[in-house]
Amino acid sequence: MRHLKTAALAVSVSVMAMTAAQAAGHGGKTIKWTSQGDALTLDPHSQNEGPTTAMNGLVYESLVTRDPELNLVPELATSWEPTEDGWMFKLREGVTFHGGEALTAGDVAFSINRAKQETSDFRTLITSVTGVRVIDDYTVELVTDGPNPILPNQLTNIFIMDSGWATENNVVRPQDYAASEETFSIRNANGTGPYIITERLPEEMTVLEANADWWGAGQFPGNVTRIEYRPITNAATRVAALLSGEVDFVLDPPLQDLERIGNTDGLRYETVAQIRSIFFGYDQGAEELRTSNIEGANPFADVRVRKAVSLAIDRNAIQRVVMDGLSVPGGMVASPGVLGWNAEHDTPPAVDIAAAQALMAEAGYGDGFSVRLDCPNNRYNNDEAICQAAVSMLARIGIDVTLDALPRSQHFPKIQNRETDFYLLGWGVPTLDSHYIFSFLMQTGGSWNATGYSDPELDALVEAMLTETDIPARTAMIEQAWDIVQAAEPYTTIHHQVLAWGLRDGVTVPMAADDTPRFRYAVVE
Amino acid sequence: MFSFILRRLLQSVLVMAAVSALSFSLFNFVGDPVNNMVGQEASPEDRQNIRDALGLDDPILVQYVRFLGNAVQGDFGLSYRSKQDVSDMILERLPATLELVAVSAVIALVIGVVAGVYTGIRRDSWLSRSILSVSLVGVSLPTFIIGIGLIYLFAVYLRLLPSSGRAGVTDLGFWRTSFLTVDGWRAIILPALTLSLFQTTMILRLVRSEMLEVMRTDYIKFARARGLSDRAINFTHALRNTLVPVVTIIGLNIGGLIAFSIITETVFQWPGTGLLFIQAVEFADVPVMAAYLMFVALMFVIVNLIVDILYVSIDPRIRIGSS
């Protein structure tokens, strides 16, 4: 009996030791974190959405990626260079998928083609790629429909899958929208990345453990070997989880709770300017506005009216009162960090009500006019409050604004269907290149250009910068295009968003302007 | 009896049809799911292709008939949001909601009956008065505030209980339960308490007023005259007679608890069907919303059916009246 007891004790001690070793991951550390939304799917090409890409980016890797300063750095490719027909990538050797299969050029070709399928949500990012040539096992050429100077920028979220695994599990295409059955890759993943999903309960908990065979093991400063992710929908609950010590890191604490986090012993928050500009758009192309008392004319068609709005908006007051200081007032639809941004364009005009009123009178609207402002209420930081502030600011120059604040699934269709006169929109730039802004927002017929703004000179420049490979010449084109846009004021920028993360002391996750936590750089003491 | 149940079942089918029609007419106003399904780079043609594939531009009546046709075969389609099978999603989440509802029903019943009897018998004591005023707070404060308040008190300041989530779950294969571990119980206390508060107050006040009424009746006076102990009078004679309406109300309110659990589950990140529904609403995920509303309607219909059947067997007057 006595022996039995000792044996049982010995077993339980060794079990405890084992669990402890597993938890600590042989000297590694665990990080527990939360944010609002869970990844919608583990399929790497199915959903181009923040939390989904963040989760898949831990498991899957792309040819090139970005470091916390958003510089392009090698990931599965070690080097790349433009060729006659496109871009040539040299692949990293000795990389294996979590299932044990070796990474070869065939997998890259397969994945690029998969991301180009009609059911892929990433295909618009790589429309310029017309084919993939496998040169040898570790060299691959992406053929483009003309020179594309920014192809590497567009590949940072195009994740590479194992072609054998995908074929075996019948997921050579991302799932159809009208499919009747879910596919294997929605809940299963097999990437080359630094972490492997060991437990996944959607909307509850996802546990990732370090991939011992990862090519980058030891090359990065991070020491996190286990990641526990718990999405928490409600903002107050999310903050409570940090305050109670249940999580180490909150990606998206509400701005009004930051002071509280900062004032709590052992917690802190960090901020960084985000690559996302918040601005008003005007329908300047319509003959007549839908929601205005002015008939037979469109006040927004006159650039003086748009400039008057810009002069009347007190961006500093919005920053101070609405945003609790957490925004960077701005004057252009590009945030610092985007190629083409410059300080001069981004300096907003000082508030000048008299000058604004004079411009309104010159344009023939000295008595003002009425219009409806369409605004989302659950998409950007304090979006509805920004619009409310603008309503009272515009009243000072005689513009009688009715606010229509709606959830995003009702707001954005108005912009896409061109059913709005005056609206709030935010724009992030994943490629960090101004072409992305011009082509969607300012080019004639751009898919998010609901303003009717159209300038042949700008269109020509945007087309030219698409294929110009001479970098200085291309940068000059971008500058020229911004000069045109800034003079025409098709949009009036309010500010650039500021990101805030809440962390426990002793936990360092390098902040990045794209709001993506990069755990390979994270250090837990 | 058989014809009674059959009649009830037919009425239930009508109720379900009405609920589905009503909810479908509301889906017109939830907005465009396609915008949430694709990234901002998607072209207008891509969006249109998805809309065509899902039949979103069809008249709402056509969409409704298509939905009904599939639903009758048990096919609720795939979620727009997660692309998973909707029936599976609801079934996976159901144990969490049902356990939460069960625990809060028990809390409401125990606290409600005990406090109701006490305040009914000792109506002038200071404890009765304070119970009644606290219970007023219970009905008048929104669930959201109560939930956040409890989180800050028990998780942030006292650090006794976890603030949110459903930890300590044991997977039995067909059912994932919180009831088998200490962590599971610790996680369920706060949300169950929050959810039960309104029901507790209601039961408390119902029991109290019933007690007050029963205590005035002749048979209680006679019992007292016979020299029975207070204990026997209060619990054997009085309480038993107050319980009939209480049981009915609780039965009917199980459905209400499931519906109320939407807010509680959101505050506590409780991974049940209510949280699923809220996320579906934000995404305009019509298949999940439709299936959830059908499911809640089904719950109400079943509970009502059971209560009706119980009524018939308890109260012969209904049986006589109906035939």
Short mmCIF file of all heavy atoms in Angstrom, two decimals, chain A residues 49-87:
data_model
loop_
_atom_site.label_atom_id
_atom_site.label_comp_id
_atom_site.label_asym_id
_atom_site.label_seq_id
_atom_site.Cartn_x
_atom_site.Cartn_y
_atom_site.Cartn_z
N GLU A 49 -9.60 40.04 -44.51
CA GLU A 49 -10.15 40.82 -43.40
C GLU A 49 -9.15 40.77 -42.26
O GLU A 49 -8.48 39.75 -42.06
CB GLU A 49 -11.48 40.17 -43.01
CG GLU A 49 -12.22 40.80 -41.89
CD GLU A 49 -12.33 39.91 -40.67
OE1 GLU A 49 -11.61 38.88 -40.59
OE2 GLU A 49 -13.09 40.25 -39.78
N GLY A 50 -9.03 41.87 -41.49
CA GLY A 50 -7.97 42.03 -40.50
C GLY A 50 -7.72 40.84 -39.59
O GLY A 50 -6.65 40.21 -39.66
N PRO A 51 -8.67 40.49 -38.69
CA PRO A 51 -8.40 39.41 -37.74
C PRO A 51 -8.11 38.07 -38.42
O PRO A 51 -7.30 37.29 -37.92
CB PRO A 51 -9.71 39.31 -36.94
CG PRO A 51 -10.35 40.63 -37.09
CD PRO A 51 -9.96 41.15 -38.45
N THR A 52 -8.74 37.83 -39.57
CA THR A 52 -8.50 36.57 -40.28
C THR A 52 -7.07 36.52 -40.81
O THR A 52 -6.36 35.52 -40.64
CB THR A 52 -9.50 36.44 -41.45
OG1 THR A 52 -10.82 36.62 -40.95
CG2 THR A 52 -9.39 35.08 -42.12
N THR A 53 -6.64 37.61 -41.42
CA THR A 53 -5.28 37.64 -41.95
C THR A 53 -4.26 37.59 -40.81
O THR A 53 -3.21 36.95 -40.94
CB THR A 53 -5.08 38.92 -42.78
OG1 THR A 53 -6.15 38.99 -43.73
CG2 THR A 53 -3.77 38.89 -43.52
N ALA A 54 -4.57 38.23 -39.68
CA ALA A 54 -3.64 38.22 -38.56
C ALA A 54 -3.43 36.80 -38.04
O ALA A 54 -2.30 36.37 -37.77
CB ALA A 54 -4.14 39.13 -37.44
N MET A 55 -4.53 36.05 -37.92
CA MET A 55 -4.43 34.67 -37.44
C MET A 55 -3.72 33.79 -38.46
O MET A 55 -2.79 33.04 -38.14
CB MET A 55 -5.84 34.13 -37.15
CG MET A 55 -5.89 32.65 -36.82
SD MET A 55 -5.37 32.31 -35.13
CE MET A 55 -6.84 32.81 -34.23
N ASN A 56 -4.15 33.89 -39.72
CA ASN A 56 -3.54 33.04 -40.74
C ASN A 56 -2.07 33.38 -40.95
O ASN A 56 -1.27 32.53 -41.33
CB ASN A 56 -4.31 33.17 -42.06
CG ASN A 56 -5.65 32.43 -42.00
OD1 ASN A 56 -5.78 31.47 -41.26
ND2 ASN A 56 -6.62 32.91 -42.74
N GLY A 57 -1.69 34.63 -40.67
CA GLY A 57 -0.31 35.05 -40.82
C GLY A 57 0.63 34.43 -39.78
O GLY A 57 1.85 34.52 -39.92
N LEU A 58 0.06 33.83 -38.73
CA LEU A 58 0.91 33.13 -37.76
C LEU A 58 1.20 31.71 -38.23
O LEU A 58 2.21 31.11 -37.86
CB LEU A 58 0.21 33.06 -36.39
CG LEU A 58 -0.09 34.39 -35.72
CD1 LEU A 58 -0.96 34.19 -34.49
CD2 LEU A 58 1.20 35.08 -35.33
N VAL A 59 0.29 31.18 -39.03
CA VAL A 59 0.37 29.79 -39.46
C VAL A 59 0.96 29.68 -40.86
O VAL A 59 1.75 28.79 -41.15
CB VAL A 59 -1.04 29.15 -39.42
CG1 VAL A 59 -0.99 27.71 -39.87
CG2 VAL A 59 -1.64 29.28 -38.04
N TYR A 60 0.51 30.60 -41.71
CA TYR A 60 0.97 30.59 -43.09
C TYR A 60 1.98 31.72 -43.29
O TYR A 60 2.03 32.67 -42.52
CB TYR A 60 -0.22 30.82 -44.04
CG TYR A 60 -1.12 29.63 -44.18
CD1 TYR A 60 -2.32 29.56 -43.47
CD2 TYR A 60 -0.80 28.58 -45.04
CE1 TYR A 60 -3.16 28.46 -43.60
CE2 TYR A 60 -1.64 27.49 -45.18
CZ TYR A 60 -2.82 27.43 -44.47
OH TYR A 60 -3.65 26.35 -44.61
N GLU A 61 2.76 31.61 -44.37
CA GLU A 61 3.71 32.67 -44.68
C GLU A 61 3.58 33.04 -46.15
O GLU A 61 3.08 32.26 -46.97
CB GLU A 61 5.13 32.22 -44.37
CG GLU A 61 5.35 32.03 -42.88
CD GLU A 61 6.73 31.49 -42.56
OE1 GLU A 61 7.06 30.38 -43.04
OE2 GLU A 61 7.48 32.18 -41.85
N SER A 62 4.08 34.23 -46.48
CA SER A 62 4.03 34.68 -47.86
C SER A 62 5.47 34.78 -48.38
O SER A 62 6.42 34.57 -47.64
CB SER A 62 3.32 36.02 -47.93
OG SER A 62 3.75 36.85 -46.87
N LEU A 63 5.62 35.12 -49.65
CA LEU A 63 6.97 35.22 -50.20
C LEU A 63 7.74 36.33 -49.51
O LEU A 63 8.87 36.16 -49.08
CB LEU A 63 6.90 35.47 -51.71
CG LEU A 63 6.37 34.30 -52.55
CD1 LEU A 63 6.20 34.72 -53.99
CD2 LEU A 63 7.31 33.10 -52.44
N VAL A 64 7.10 37.51 -49.44
CA VAL A 64 7.72 38.63 -48.74
C VAL A 64 6.75 39.09 -47.66
O VAL A 64 5.55 38.88 -47.78
CB VAL A 64 8.03 39.81 -49.68
CG1 VAL A 64 9.10 39.44 -50.66
CG2 VAL A 64 6.78 40.25 -50.41
N THR A 65 7.29 39.70 -46.64
CA THR A 65 6.40 40.17 -45.57
C THR A 65 6.91 41.53 -45.10
O THR A 65 7.82 42.10 -45.68
CB THR A 65 6.36 39.15 -44.42
OG1 THR A 65 5.31 39.52 -43.53
CG2 THR A 65 7.68 39.09 -43.66
N ARG A 66 6.27 42.04 -44.05
CA ARG A 66 6.70 43.33 -43.52
C ARG A 66 7.14 43.15 -42.08
O ARG A 66 6.55 42.37 -41.34
CB ARG A 66 5.56 44.34 -43.59
CG ARG A 66 5.22 44.74 -45.01
CD ARG A 66 4.25 45.90 -45.05
NE ARG A 66 3.81 46.16 -46.40
CZ ARG A 66 4.51 46.85 -47.30
NH1 ARG A 66 5.68 47.38 -46.96
NH2 ARG A 66 4.05 47.04 -48.51
N ASP A 67 8.16 43.91 -41.69
CA ASP A 67 8.59 43.89 -40.30
C ASP A 67 7.76 44.94 -39.54
O ASP A 67 6.92 45.60 -40.14
CB ASP A 67 10.11 44.12 -40.21
CG ASP A 67 10.53 45.52 -40.64
OD1 ASP A 67 9.63 46.36 -40.89
OD2 ASP A 67 11.74 45.77 -40.74
N PRO A 68 7.95 45.09 -38.24
CA PRO A 68 7.10 46.03 -37.50
C PRO A 68 7.20 47.47 -38.01
O PRO A 68 6.27 48.26 -37.83
CB PRO A 68 7.62 45.92 -36.07
CG PRO A 68 8.18 44.54 -35.98
CD PRO A 68 8.77 44.27 -37.33
N GLU A 69 8.32 47.82 -38.66
CA GLU A 69 8.41 49.18 -39.24
C GLU A 69 7.80 49.22 -40.63
O GLU A 69 7.91 50.22 -41.34
CB GLU A 69 9.86 49.65 -39.30
CG GLU A 69 10.40 50.14 -37.96
CD GLU A 69 10.80 49.00 -37.04
OE1 GLU A 69 11.48 48.07 -37.54
OE2 GLU A 69 10.41 49.00 -35.86
N LEU A 70 7.22 48.11 -41.05
CA LEU A 70 6.56 47.96 -42.34
C LEU A 70 7.52 47.97 -43.53
O LEU A 70 7.11 48.23 -44.66
CB LEU A 70 5.43 48.99 -42.54
CG LEU A 70 4.33 48.98 -41.46
CD1 LEU A 70 3.20 49.92 -41.85
CD2 LEU A 70 3.78 47.58 -41.24
N ASN A 71 8.80 47.69 -43.29
CA ASN A 71 9.72 47.49 -44.40
C ASN A 71 9.46 46.11 -44.99
O ASN A 71 9.15 45.17 -44.27
CB ASN A 71 11.18 47.54 -43.92
CG ASN A 71 11.47 48.83 -43.20
OD1 ASN A 71 11.17 49.91 -43.71
ND2 ASN A 71 12.02 48.72 -41.99
N LEU A 72 9.65 46.00 -46.32
CA LEU A 72 9.53 44.69 -46.95
C LEU A 72 10.74 43.85 -46.55
O LEU A 72 11.88 44.30 -46.67
CB LEU A 72 9.51 44.83 -48.47
CG LEU A 72 8.19 45.24 -49.12
CD1 LEU A 72 8.36 45.27 -50.62
CD2 LEU A 72 7.07 44.30 -48.74
N VAL A 73 10.49 42.65 -46.05
CA VAL A 73 11.59 41.77 -45.67
C VAL A 73 11.32 40.37 -46.23
O VAL A 73 10.17 40.02 -46.49
CB VAL A 73 11.79 41.70 -44.14
CG1 VAL A 73 12.29 43.02 -43.59
CG2 VAL A 73 10.50 41.29 -43.44
N PRO A 74 12.36 39.57 -46.43
CA PRO A 74 12.18 38.22 -46.97
C PRO A 74 11.40 37.34 -46.01
O PRO A 74 11.53 37.45 -44.79
CB PRO A 74 13.62 37.69 -47.11
CG PRO A 74 14.51 38.87 -47.00
CD PRO A 74 13.79 39.89 -46.18
N GLU A 75 10.57 36.48 -46.56
CA GLU A 75 9.95 35.45 -45.73
C GLU A 75 10.21 34.10 -46.40
O GLU A 75 11.27 33.53 -46.19
CB GLU A 75 8.47 35.72 -45.50
CG GLU A 75 7.92 34.91 -44.31
CD GLU A 75 6.59 35.39 -43.78
OE1 GLU A 75 5.71 35.74 -44.58
OE2 GLU A 75 6.42 35.42 -42.53
N LEU A 76 9.33 33.66 -47.28
CA LEU A 76 9.62 32.39 -47.95
C LEU A 76 10.54 32.61 -49.16
O LEU A 76 11.18 31.68 -49.63
CB LEU A 76 8.34 31.69 -48.38
CG LEU A 76 7.50 31.17 -47.20
CD1 LEU A 76 6.24 30.50 -47.68
CD2 LEU A 76 8.32 30.21 -46.34
N ALA A 77 10.59 33.84 -49.65
CA ALA A 77 11.58 34.16 -50.68
C ALA A 77 12.76 34.82 -50.00
O ALA A 77 12.58 35.57 -49.05
CB ALA A 77 10.97 35.09 -51.72
N THR A 78 13.96 34.54 -50.48
CA THR A 78 15.12 35.18 -49.87
C THR A 78 15.55 36.40 -50.67
O THR A 78 16.19 37.30 -50.14
CB THR A 78 16.31 34.20 -49.78
OG1 THR A 78 16.48 33.59 -51.04
CG2 THR A 78 16.04 33.14 -48.72
N SER A 79 15.22 36.42 -51.95
CA SER A 79 15.53 37.59 -52.76
C SER A 79 14.57 37.64 -53.93
O SER A 79 13.96 36.63 -54.29
CB SER A 79 16.98 37.53 -53.25
OG SER A 79 17.13 36.44 -54.14
N TRP A 80 14.42 38.82 -54.51
CA TRP A 80 13.52 38.98 -55.65
C TRP A 80 14.00 40.12 -56.51
O TRP A 80 14.64 41.06 -56.02
CB TRP A 80 12.08 39.21 -55.18
CG TRP A 80 11.91 40.31 -54.17
CD1 TRP A 80 11.63 41.62 -54.41
CD2 TRP A 80 12.00 40.19 -52.74
NE1 TRP A 80 11.54 42.33 -53.24
CE2 TRP A 80 11.77 41.46 -52.20
CE3 TRP A 80 12.27 39.11 -51.88
CZ2 TRP A 80 11.79 41.72 -50.82
CZ3 TRP A 80 12.28 39.37 -50.51
CH2 TRP A 80 12.05 40.64 -50.00
N GLU A 81 13.75 40.01 -57.80
CA GLU A 81 14.17 41.07 -58.71
C GLU A 81 13.26 41.09 -59.91
O GLU A 81 12.71 40.07 -60.32
CB GLU A 81 15.62 40.83 -59.15
CG GLU A 81 15.80 39.47 -59.77
CD GLU A 81 17.25 39.18 -60.14
OE1 GLU A 81 18.14 39.87 -59.64
OE2 GLU A 81 17.46 38.26 -60.94
N PRO A 82 13.08 42.30 -60.50
CA PRO A 82 12.23 42.39 -61.68
C PRO A 82 12.92 41.73 -62.89
O PRO A 82 14.14 41.74 -62.99
CB PRO A 82 12.06 43.90 -61.90
CG PRO A 82 13.13 44.55 -61.12
CD PRO A 82 13.58 43.60 -60.06
N THR A 83 12.12 41.12 -63.76
CA THR A 83 12.64 40.54 -64.99
C THR A 83 11.91 41.19 -66.16
O THR A 83 11.07 42.08 -65.96
CB THR A 83 12.39 39.03 -65.03
OG1 THR A 83 10.98 38.81 -64.96
CG2 THR A 83 13.07 38.31 -63.88
N GLU A 84 12.23 40.72 -67.36
CA GLU A 84 11.53 41.20 -68.56
C GLU A 84 10.01 41.04 -68.43
O GLU A 84 9.25 41.91 -68.80
CB GLU A 84 12.01 40.39 -69.78
CG GLU A 84 13.40 40.75 -70.25
CD GLU A 84 13.40 42.10 -70.96
OE1 GLU A 84 12.77 42.18 -72.03
OE2 GLU A 84 13.99 43.07 -70.43
N ASP A 85 9.61 39.87 -67.90
CA ASP A 85 8.19 39.51 -67.92
C ASP A 85 7.48 39.71 -66.59
O ASP A 85 6.27 39.52 -66.50
CB ASP A 85 8.03 38.02 -68.28
CG ASP A 85 8.57 37.73 -69.67
OD1 ASP A 85 8.56 38.65 -70.48
OD2 ASP A 85 9.01 36.59 -69.89
N GLY A 86 8.21 40.03 -65.55
CA GLY A 86 7.56 40.14 -64.24
C GLY A 86 8.59 40.19 -63.13
O GLY A 86 9.48 41.04 -63.15
N TRP A 87 8.46 39.29 -62.18
CA TRP A 87 9.39 39.27 -61.05
C TRP A 87 9.89 37.84 -60.80
O TRP A 87 9.12 36.89 -60.87
CB TRP A 87 8.70 39.77 -59.77
CG TRP A 87 8.50 41.24 -59.73
CD1 TRP A 87 7.53 41.96 -60.36
CD2 TRP A 87 9.30 42.20 -59.01
NE1 TRP A 87 7.66 43.30 -60.10
CE2 TRP A 87 8.73 43.48 -59.26
CE3 TRP A 87 10.42 42.11 -58.18
CZ2 TRP A 87 9.27 44.64 -58.71
CZ3 TRP A 87 10.94 43.27 -57.62
CH2 TRP A 87 10.36 44.51 -57.90
#
